Amino acid sequence: MTMKAMSQDRYGSPDLLRLVETPRPLAGEDDVLVRVDGAAVHVGDCFGVRGTPWMMRMATGLFKPTCGIPGYDFAGRIAAVGENVTQFDVGDEVFGAGQGTCAQYVTVPQSTVAPRPTNLSLAEAAAVPTSGLAALHALRDVANVQPGQRVLINGASGGIGTFAIQIAKSFGAEVTGVCSTRNVDLVRSLGADHVVDYTRDDFTAAAAQYDLIFDNVENRSLADCRRALKPTGMLILNSGTGARGIAMLVRLIKPLVMSPFVRHDLRRYLSVPNQDDLLVLKQLIESGAVRPIIDRKYELTQTPDAIRYLESGHARGKVVISVANADATPECGSTAVVA
Ligand SMILES: NC(=O)c1ccc[n+]([C@@H]2O[C@H](COP(=O)([O-])OP(=O)(O)OC[C@H]3O[C@@H](n4cnc5c(N)ncnc54)[C@H](OP(=O)(O)O)[C@@H]3O)[C@@H](O)[C@H]2O)c1
């Protein structure tokens, strides 16, 4: 049996992605096969399509993409289950993280899948997994944010930032979001106590100091950011964009090498999706504490446009790919945004 998917056979421009008919994956014994309704793309997909930064190829294939289908987020219905799967049945509506979700079907281990939040549509649920988990892991597991702590989120209007503001608020923190003028109202509406418009003000030059700076942009020097930290504050660095080659390597390693020699705690982290934390996000969403912000929704064949839009660095929340209509979308490379 086959399925439609957006796929590339070599690294390069998003225009290399083509709508292809490809064999439908089979669920291994611990896997579920999901009929994808919605997928989402994020910055990691831009790296995966272009094959840069080069170190990303350790995960995506050294000389050519091993999977070739972008997308790490999905929401959809279970179409088949492996023989060891006990938690899910065919027809269950789920969301989760896996590789190659810009396709009609994806197989994923049951450990990275959870029932979708009941108050979200499948398309909305697809916007949650990787960015929601990245925000949760930074704030809860790396920083252990406590009530009353002062938390600054740089890149507050992006895919991770929009979740981070809401999750930090749910932990009782006093939250400051940094974004541009057009996103000030959005960031405030997500619960930020203070908003810094970076086109007018510089958070590193102000008097305010923070227990935690969660930096999703990394457009400022370590010295600048540390000036805005309390004496024992933590800086979580979380951007893969804006540097290449050796400069990227230095940027990745420098804070980790420096950290033992300075009072501030300088961190990087890797968010690894898991079912327990998808259930935490589901609960936060169903309680009303968190909602996904969806900037644009593209049809499956418009995935190249979605990737290019993300590369602009100014997405406002999440970029979602609608897969449900894939059978009815014959054309590849159309540029119209559907919502
Ligand atoms: N650690 C992990 O495991 C992990 C997992 C996933 C992703 N990541 C990394 O997380 C980073 C952030 O991901 P994301 O999905 O949030 O990115 P994103 O959605 O592309 O972020 C876009 C946002 O960045 C804001 N921005 C751009 N320039 C800014 C500036 N100078 N100051 C403040 N905000 C600025 C934009 O706001 P304006 O339009 O208002 O400028 C926009 O809303 C990525 O680099 C990715 O590599 C890490």
Side-chain angles (χ1 to χ4, degrees):
M1 280 193 283
T2 63
M3 66 171 184
K4 285 184 172 156
M6 291 300 286
S7 182
Q8 62 183 134
D9 53 15
R10 60 194 164 97
Y11 290 118
S13 153
D15 294 323
L16 292 172
L17 287 164
R18 288 278 174 262
L19 186 68
V20 295
E21 199 77 32
T22 187
R24 192 184 293 184
L26 295 172
E29 51 190 28
D30 296 309
D31 298 337
V32 294
L33 175 72
V34 178
R35 165 93 194 192
V36 178
D37 190 276
V41 286
H42 69 99
V43 175
D45 291 298
C46 306
F47 302 158
V49 167
R50 294 201 183 267
T52 55
W54 272 78
M55 64 190 79
M56 275 293 292
R57 295 191 184 201
M58 307 294 278
T60 59
L62 207 49
F63 301 110
K64 60 178 191 163
T66 43
C67 171
I69 303 173
Y72 291 94
D73 298 275
F74 67 85
R77 288 178 191 80
I78 296 207
V81 296
E83 61 196 41
N84 293 341
V85 172
T86 51
Q87 295 174 289
F88 300 102
D89 283 320
V90 171
D92 287 355
E93 295 192 347
V94 294
F95 75 141
Q99 201 178 11
T101 60
C102 290
Q104 286 182 304
Y105 290 88
V106 65
T107 50
V108 281
Q110 62 173 335
S111 58
T112 60
V113 181
R116 74 165 163 90
T118 51
N119 56 342
L120 296 184
S121 68
L122 285 172
E124 291 168 327
V128 175
T130 55
S131 296
L133 290 173
L136 179 69
H137 291 157
L139 297 167
R140 185 196 63 187
D141 302 344
V142 183
N144 188 21
V145 168
Q146 296 298 312
Q149 285 191 325
R150 304 192 72 189
V151 172
L152 179 134
I153 294 156
N154 195 24
S157 52
I160 294 176
T162 47
F163 284 106
I165 296 166
Q166 301 176 82
I167 293 172
K169 282 303 296 178
S170 79
F171 292 164
E174 180 182 331
V175 178
T176 300
V178 182
C179 61
S180 66
T181 313
R182 76 184 181 113
N183 288 322
V184 166
D185 288 345
L186 168 71
V187 168
R188 197 168 280 129
S189 77
L190 294 173
D193 301 283
H194 317 279
V195 184
V196 177
D197 176 348
Y198 70 76
T199 67
R200 296 176 187 184
D201 298 307
D202 175 359
F203 74 89
T204 70
Q209 289 193 312
Y210 301 92
D211 296 288
L212 170 68
I213 295 177
F214 181 29
D215 186 356
N216 294 292
V217 186
E218 289 196 49
N219 59 330
R220 307 304 305 264
S221 69
L222 282 179
D224 283 350
C225 287
R226 289 179 56 209
R227 219 172 28 240
L229 278 179
K230 289 183 181 177
T232 55
M234 178 186 286
L235 170 62
I236 302 179
L237 296 144
N238 187 40
S239 174
T241 58
R244 287 279 178 271
I246 299 294
M248 168 64 92
L249 207 58
V250 170
R251 194 174 85 176
L252 285 178
I253 292 170
K254 188 175 166 188
L256 308 181
V257 172
M258 267 178 72
S259 197
F261 304 103
V262 296
R263 277 185 305 168
H264 294 137
D265 199 348
L266 313 179
R267 299 286 193 100
R268 291 197 179 279
Y269 74 109
L270 183 65
S271 171
V272 179
N274 65 77
Q275 189 187 68
D276 285 348
D277 291 337
L278 285 167
L279 291 169
V280 170
L281 291 176
K282 172 177 156 69
Q283 197 275 326
L284 283 167
I285 290 166
E286 289 173 352
S287 73
V290 170
R291 65 188 163 103
I293 300 301
I294 296 177
D295 179 355
R296 293 186 178 189
K297 196 196 282 183
Y298 293 85
E299 291 294 341
L300 182 61
T301 51
Q302 297 168 330
T303 305
D305 301 323
I307 301 276
R308 269 190 294 270
Y309 179 59
L310 271 175
E311 287 181 329
S312 75
H314 294 286
R316 205 169 182 235
K318 291 297 300 176
V319 174
V320 166
I321 308 290
S322 174
V323 184
N325 303 326
D327 280 327
T329 50
E331 228 177 295
C332 187
S334 161
T335 53
V337 175
V338 295

